[in-house]
Amino acid sequence: MALILDSNISSAVTNSEEASSLENSSLLASSLNRVLNLSQTNTAQSPARKKLTSIEAHRVLAIADDMIQKIQLVSSLPHVITNLEKFKGLFGCDLVAALERYQVLDRLYNDCSQPEEEESDSDDDESVNQAATLTGIEAKLLMREQENKKYAIQKQLQDSCRSIVRIFRNNQPAIEAAIACSDKRSEHSTELLLRLNELRDVLFERLLTSPVEERTNVDLQRELTLRMRRHESAIDKLESELRQVEDDKASEVKKKKRCY
């Protein structure tokens, strides 16, 4: 790879020295683009192994797969709970009960998070009078009480979610049915799962890479980085000469137009 890059740099420099016309400037631009594209190519060598061989590597990958599956399940819960009647026959009593409890807690949490709705005029007047009698300390205590209530419900929601995931583990058809609702997930959940799967692929490739291959890739990257630093001045020179050739050609065209 490094030899190819050097060869293209040399070729581009040779073309720049011969660039006396618009055709040669196009050749120069083509050579320059080829050099830049080569510099941006991923130079890491692919692992020789195609399958994991160690138990530790299998365990690490299994943890990543388990995490992704849990997120797939949790991100499907809003759709599953909304259409719970559709899934009752497949999920079983324990899972349905856990989902219904989660639905109640979710509603309570949303009620705590949303501002209270306006009540009747008489209730408003009474609330205003009560608020006027509250001291600063009492108002802070009331706010803290509401925050504590919200935090308690949030904790129950987390525990309920963990319980749901544990029950799902004993029902593989239910897992498959919930994960199949991939088109019903929110945009943020879909983006998160996409990035996690990409990270899983990177992890899998790193687990396949042996220590020797890792050192080879590091040495190769270091060598190419040094080469590219040396070639930066040559690339700048090519760009400058290309602009000069184009400017000279434009000036020549203007002179010909004036003569006519």
Side-chain angles (χ1 to χ4, degrees):
M1 178 66 188
L3 294 176
I4 295 174
L5 188 58
D6 283 341
S7 175
N8 280 278
I9 287 285
S10 301
S11 175
V13 172
T14 301
N15 289 332
S16 70
E17 293 172 350
E18 298 175 353
S20 58
S21 65
L22 188 59
E23 290 78 7
N24 285 335
S25 68
S26 298
L27 181 61
L28 173 60
S30 175
S31 299
L32 178 59
N33 288 332
R34 188 163 57 251
V35 170
L36 293 176
N37 289 335
L38 281 170
S39 68
Q40 297 170 357
T41 303
N42 183 15
T43 56
Q45 297 179 351
S46 299
R49 295 180 298 181
K50 301 304 178 184
K51 294 182 179 180
L52 299 178
T53 56
S54 67
I55 298 177
E56 291 78 8
H58 279 287
R59 288 175 178 173
V60 171
L61 194 64
I63 292 173
D65 290 337
D66 185 61
M67 174 192 64
I68 291 174
Q69 186 183 76
K70 287 179 179 178
I71 295 177
Q72 288 175 326
L73 283 173
V74 173
S75 61
S76 300
L77 288 184
H79 173 73
V80 170
I81 291 175
T82 304
N83 301 272
L84 194 54
E85 290 294 331
K86 174 183 175 183
F87 296 98
K88 275 188 175 181
L90 182 63
F91 284 2
C93 298
D94 292 342
L95 183 54
V96 170
L99 290 169
E100 289 176 344
R101 172 174 169 72
Y102 180 89
Q103 185 178 24
V104 172
L105 291 171
D106 185 57
R107 189 180 300 114
L108 290 174
Y109 182 81
N110 291 332
D111 291 342
C112 291
S113 301
Q114 295 175 356
E116 296 182 358
E117 299 180 356
E118 296 183 358
E119 300 177 355
S120 61
D121 294 339
S122 59
D123 292 338
D124 287 341
D125 294 339
E126 184 179 353
S127 298
V128 170
N129 293 332
Q130 290 178 354
T133 60
L134 287 176
T135 64
I137 297 178
E138 290 173 335
K140 290 181 179 180
L141 289 175
L142 180 60
M143 184 179 300
R144 184 176 300 176
E145 181 181 351
Q146 292 174 345
E147 288 296 326
N148 290 338
K149 180 180 178 182
K150 180 180 177 181
Y151 175 77
I153 296 175
Q154 181 180 358
K155 184 66 170 60
Q156 293 180 54
L157 264 175
Q158 294 172 350
D159 294 340
S160 177
C161 186
R162 294 189 185 96
S163 177
I164 289 172
V165 172
R166 283 194 295 268
I167 298 174
F168 260 115
R169 285 183 175 180
N170 300 324
N171 192 338
Q172 186 61 33
I175 292 178
E176 295 173 358
I179 293 179
C181 306
S182 57
D183 58 328
K184 306 299 182 181
R185 295 191 183 98
S186 66
E187 182 178 348
H188 297 296
S189 298
T190 302
E191 181 69 15
L192 174 61
L193 286 168
L194 176 63
R195 299 307 174 195
L196 285 175
N197 279 292
E198 291 176 354
L199 183 61
R200 190 259 187 203
D201 293 339
V202 173
L203 175 63
F204 180 64
E205 184 172 352
R206 292 298 299 271
L207 291 173
L208 289 175
T209 305
S210 67
V212 175
E213 291 172 333
E214 181 69 21
R215 286 194 295 270
T216 301
N217 286 334
V218 170
D219 292 340
L220 179 60
Q221 291 289 347
R222 186 183 297 113
E223 179 185 356
L224 287 176
T225 299
L226 294 174
R227 286 177 181 270
M228 286 308 303
R229 287 176 180 173
R230 292 197 299 267
H231 293 328
E232 282 179 356
S233 58
I235 292 175
D236 293 339
K237 179 182 177 181
L238 293 176
E239 291 176 336
S240 177
E241 292 182 358
L242 175 59
R243 288 192 296 267
Q244 185 63 42
V245 169
E246 292 176 343
D247 292 343
D248 292 344
K249 185 63 179 180
S251 299
E252 184 180 347
V253 171
K254 287 183 181 179
K255 289 180 181 179
K256 290 183 179 179
K257 287 184 178 180
R258 290 177 182 174
C259 292
Y260 291 130

